[in-house]
Amino acid sequence: MQGTPLILDGGLATELEKRGLQIQEEPLWSAKILHTNPKAIKDVHYGFLESGSDVITTATYQASIEGFLKHLGLKPEEAQQLLMSGVRLAKETATDFMSNCAVADRKVPLVAGSLGPYGAFLHDGSEYTGAYANQLSVEELKDWHRPQLHCLVAAGADLIAMETIPSLKEAEALVELLREFPDTKAWLAFSCKDAQCISDGNKFSEAVQVAGKSTQLVAVGVNCSPPALVKPLLESATSHKSANRSWVVYPNSGEAWDRTTGWKTVTRTSFTELSIEWKKQGALWIGGCCRVGPNDIADLKHHLT
């Protein structure tokens, strides 16, 4: 599959932190800012749009009805409305941007509703191991994700970003759940532990085969993993990817987070150089995750489109 890639955004939480908002030890992570400072979220969305993002992702990765009830003391209907507000803020920002945009052929930005893994709700780092899936059935995972997916769809997200999924079982649950929303499109992106495997130890090639069971997925791929892993991961599963489905790729900066010391500084891999390879491999949705900012996105836009 060839074509001009759609450029995604980067690390929303990273940009919120640059604005002085403390979220690292917050159990709701950036989703809390939906409640406390929605304007800051719109400002971040707008910054990525100015840098060239064709797709902005909602601040709902760590949002859940259960989490809002537990940590904010909201009533169920209030929790639903707060989760839906993530889509509304992104769509309002896209509308504002287009009304001010002087570029004649600028694409109308898409809004991807972020649906994070169950491990994000647990706030224990298990979105990078998937260990919780051993204690849950596919049906239990579907039941947990259903309220969040319903809110994102009802709020009018253009598609759903099922992202940072660490577990083959959770991927199976999400693919099955998506069928309950037959008019909804999505992508499925996995967190990966090495050049062959997703975070729970299963082969990335098996995860791609699970994605192949859905006609609603526009892309499958990798996010929130080191950029150097992307090329070998895609190579390992190329024969299993459906011809009508592209890759989605938005890794982190390559830096590592330590709960005690914070971000570990490393020599950052050139996103530009690597992203050209990802495009050659068939990636049509390309962006960044943690520690990837508007300047990185502008660089991607310049070199890939």
Side-chain angles (χ1 to χ4, degrees):
M1 180 179 288
Q2 299 297 322
T4 301
L6 288 168
I7 304 302
L8 311 183
D9 54 9
L12 184 144
T14 302
E15 294 305 302
L16 289 173
E17 287 183 314
K18 287 181 179 178
R19 287 162 169 76
L21 298 167
Q22 302 297 315
I23 59 177
Q24 278 297 340
E25 296 306 317
E26 167 58 50
L28 294 174
W29 203 39
S30 56
K32 184 176 181 180
I33 311 303
L34 290 170
H35 186 64
T36 60
N37 194 343
K39 183 182 181 302
I41 290 173
K42 293 185 72 172
D43 289 345
V44 172
H45 285 325
Y46 202 96
F48 279 119
L49 291 173
E50 287 184 311
S51 296
S53 293
D54 300 307
V55 185
I56 50 175
T57 307
T58 61
T60 53
Y61 170 78
Q62 209 144 321
S64 66
I65 303 303
E66 187 175 349
F68 286 158
L69 297 179
K70 178 179 179 180
H71 299 294
L72 296 179
L74 301 181
K75 298 176 181 178
E77 184 176 345
E78 293 172 332
Q80 292 170 6
Q81 289 300 316
L82 184 60
L83 202 153
M84 293 173 71
S85 75
V87 177
R88 175 177 55 79
L89 292 172
K91 292 181 81 72
E92 287 175 356
T93 306
T95 298
D96 292 344
F97 174 78
M98 290 303 294
S99 69
N100 297 321
C101 184
V103 180
D105 60 349
R106 184 67 158 91
K107 299 173 184 174
V108 176
L110 298 175
V111 171
S114 175
L115 187 73
Y118 179 72
F121 162 72
L122 297 178
H123 188 57
D124 60 1
S126 58
E127 67 260 51
Y128 301 107
T129 67
Y132 54 85
N134 295 328
Q135 284 76 49
L136 297 168
S137 67
V138 167
E139 289 302 317
E140 286 172 325
L141 286 165
K142 287 168 62 177
D143 289 345
W144 191 84
H145 280 292
R146 188 176 289 108
Q148 286 74 247
L149 181 53
H150 171 77
C151 286
L152 295 172
V153 171
D158 295 305
L159 74 165
I160 304 300
M162 298 174 169
E163 55 184 2
T164 325
I165 305 304
S167 159
L168 200 63
K169 183 188 289 185
E170 192 162 18
E172 291 169 348
L174 289 170
V175 165
E176 289 187 16
L177 179 60
L178 189 60
R179 297 190 187 111
E180 298 179 17
F181 303 84
D183 297 326
T184 299
K185 299 296 184 181
W187 73 61
L188 181 60
F190 293 88
S191 65
C192 297
K193 63 185 294 185
D194 57 39
Q196 296 286 324
C197 298
I198 64 174
S199 293
D200 71 353
N202 282 295
K203 295 290 187 182
F204 178 67
S205 58
E206 294 180 68
V208 171
Q209 291 178 69
V210 169
K213 298 176 182 178
S214 173
T215 60
Q216 295 169 250
L217 292 176
V218 299
V220 60
V222 182
N223 81 294
C224 211
S225 303
L229 297 183
V230 173
K231 183 179 179 180
L233 281 164
L234 300 191
E235 287 176 343
S236 75
T238 297
S239 63
H240 299 289
K241 182 177 69 66
S242 304
N244 62 347
R245 185 172 295 113
S246 66
W247 294 121
V248 57
V249 173
Y250 52 117
N252 57 38
S253 67
E255 297 163 88
W257 169 256
D258 184 279
R259 285 177 176 270
T260 303
T261 61
W263 286 102
K264 184 184 298 183
T265 302
V266 298
T267 301
R268 290 183 55 152
T269 309
S270 168
F271 256 64
T272 303
E273 181 180 343
L274 292 176
S275 66
I276 292 171
E277 290 298 319
W278 305 334
K279 179 182 177 181
K280 289 178 181 178
Q281 290 179 281
L284 291 184
W285 306 75
I286 301 176
C289 201
C290 302
R291 306 285 282 182
V292 175
N295 289 339
D296 299 302
I297 298 305
D299 200 32
L300 286 178
K301 184 77 169 184
H302 176 71
H303 287 89
L304 295 180
T305 62

